[in-house]
Amino acid sequence: MSWIVGAASTPYGALRNSDTLGLMSQAAAAALADAQLERGDIDGLLCGYSTTLPHLMLATVFAEHFGLAPSYAHALQAGGATGLAMLMLAHQLVDSGQARHVLVVAAENRLSGQSRDSAIQTLSQVGHPVYELPFGPTIPAYYGLVASRYMHSYGATEEDYAELAVLMRRHAARHAGAQFRDPISIGDVMASRPISTPLKLLDCCPVSDGGSAFIVGKSPTTAQRVKVRGCGQAHTHQHVSVAPDLTRFGAAQALARAEAASGMSARDAVYAGIYDSFTITLAILLEELGLAPRGEAGTLAREGHFDLDGPLPLNTHGGLLSYGHCGAGGALAHLVEAHLQMTGRAGDRQVPDASIALLHGDGGVLSSHVSAFLERA
């Protein structure tokens, strides 16, 4: 058994004069304060990778910088699935008795700390060096390919995807830390410039500076009682050119393993934090997790199903699409928001009930998947 005893995020966006270690420190210090713990209470440390500080030993670099002396520490990298992969490992470390308080942190100054060309070159690593990269695809190109195939198979439209972008912006408008808070309409999404057909600018998450952190402990340290019930992973491929299917990925497998580990079902969830690097990412994951019928995630969004007062509130901080995406720390903000909702501290974003949350992260081009169930005790 383990508990999330504290969690915090920095604002996301253009945070000038900030670097990876500074942002990690800011998020970690806030998470410690939220858990009412001191640095000396931390005996486990997990760090997400940073493209602006690609150090071979980032965890010990941060431990030294932040003043920690953990008995267990290392960094992980699983693309956008990194945050929940670290949650799963922290849960296992605490549950097995290897550590009592594990600090999980990820941050980077991805927007202000590197050039556009450098970012593209780094992210191109998801592509196959022989069969894909020579043709010049980018991350949006891969997802545009997936979106086109998915539309063909299940009848979803560009307007359906746009509904998800509008929903995320509507939620972000209530969060002071979100990178983009101005309202957008379906027309705005459809009129935004093409990035990789059928994806347009507002179908894509922004690049951000920022960071998030949380602490997994053996027992609650405050009145905030959020239990990690169970997690599961699935890794079906790395390269799109050898993916077994461009319409079905590993999310359902990860969910099944999380359900088995937790004794819970996706049908139990009353709050969802689902990875949303692109609108197509969010649509596919919602549908593969059984939270929407195939091809109908946009329809449910249009009908208010994922609103604050809907049957399944979703990414109420605005998600990657509007709160922002700073690499490994991007999806951690989904967990921080879930923790706020589950402990009744989300302010005017607070949903009526967030007793059971389903979180899901995706890395690569729908390559690596981690699902997790949290429960308010």
Side-chain angles (χ1 to χ4, degrees):
M1 180 184 298
S2 74
W3 304 75
I4 298 176
V5 299
S9 291
T10 72
Y12 280 27
L15 308 178
R16 306 296 179 187
N17 302 315
S18 296
D19 60 14
T20 288
L21 291 177
L23 290 166
M24 290 174 73
S25 298
Q26 184 179 340
L32 281 169
D34 192 49
Q36 297 180 19
L37 292 171
E38 303 294 334
R39 283 168 168 80
D41 296 316
I42 300 299
D43 56 356
L45 173 65
L46 298 174
C47 297
Y49 68 93
S50 168
T51 63
T52 56
L53 183 60
H55 198 283
L56 293 175
M57 299 176 66
L58 182 57
T60 46
V61 168
F62 176 70
E64 180 180 79
H65 176 82
F66 194 61
L68 302 176
S71 58
Y72 185 101
H74 68 236
L76 277 75
Q77 49 188 46
T82 301
L84 292 187
M86 292 193 292
L87 169 65
M88 184 173 179
L89 178 54
H91 166 63
Q92 293 172 337
L93 288 169
V94 168
D95 191 47
S96 67
Q98 293 297 309
R100 183 165 180 82
H101 296 116
V102 179
L103 170 63
V104 179
V105 60
E108 65 176 290
N109 54 331
R110 181 169 285 196
L111 176 59
S112 63
Q114 62 184 337
S115 68
R116 175 180 177 274
D117 289 346
S118 175
I120 291 174
Q121 183 176 10
T122 298
L123 294 175
S124 72
Q125 293 177 24
V126 303
H128 195 287
V130 175
Y131 301 113
E132 295 171 12
L133 291 187
F135 301 97
T138 60
I139 297 289
Y142 292 122
Y143 276 92
L145 173 69
V146 171
S148 295
R149 178 63 192 181
Y150 205 78
M151 290 168 63
H152 171 76
S153 297
Y154 296 109
T157 67
E158 294 181 41
E159 289 81 3
D160 289 330
Y161 297 149
E163 292 284 354
L164 297 170
V166 171
L167 171 69
M168 291 300 99
R169 187 62 63 87
R170 186 161 65 245
H171 287 340
R174 296 173 178 265
H175 199 307
Q179 184 169 356
F180 292 112
R181 301 179 63 199
D182 293 338
I184 57 174
S185 66
I186 301 298
D188 292 330
V189 179
M190 297 300 294
S192 61
R193 65 183 177 89
I195 299 298
S196 179
T197 304
L199 302 178
K200 296 160 287 297
L201 181 64
L202 293 178
D203 287 301
C204 308
C205 68
V207 177
S208 316
D209 302 329
S212 296
F214 61 90
I215 299 167
V216 176
K218 189 68 175 178
S219 58
T221 57
T222 69
Q224 304 160 16
R225 302 176 66 85
V226 175
K227 183 188 299 183
V228 182
R229 284 292 303 264
C231 309
Q233 297 190 27
H235 307 272
T236 56
H237 65 282
Q238 172 59 40
H239 303 113
V240 169
S241 58
V242 296
D245 191 333
L246 287 185
T247 61
R248 293 182 182 273
F249 300 92
Q253 297 173 36
L255 173 64
R257 290 163 185 162
E259 289 178 329
S262 65
M264 308 189 84
S265 164
R267 293 186 297 273
D268 297 324
V270 292
Y271 179 85
I274 309 298
Y275 195 79
D276 59 319
S277 52
F278 300 90
T279 52
I280 180 59
T281 318
L282 184 54
I284 286 178
L285 293 178
L286 286 169
E287 294 167 17
E288 190 150 295
L289 294 168
L291 303 178
R294 291 285 181 173
E296 296 184 24
T299 300
L300 290 187
R302 187 180 302 117
E303 294 172 351
H305 188 82
F306 303 118
D307 284 350
L308 297 182
D309 58 353
L312 186 64
L314 169 70
N315 298 353
T316 52
H317 63 310
L320 301 172
L321 286 166
S322 284
Y323 190 84
H325 193 357
C326 62
L332 284 190
H334 289 71
L335 185 147
V336 172
E337 178 69 6
H339 191 258
L340 288 172
Q341 290 286 356
M342 299 180 81
T343 55
R345 300 180 297 152
D348 62 359
R349 304 186 312 281
Q350 186 65 50
V351 303
D353 176 39
S355 56
I356 298 175
L358 169 60
L359 305 179
H360 188 88
D362 150 50
V365 185
L366 295 156
S367 310
S368 294
H369 297 267
V370 186
S371 295
F373 284 97
L374 307 180
E375 182 180 26
R376 183 179 65 218

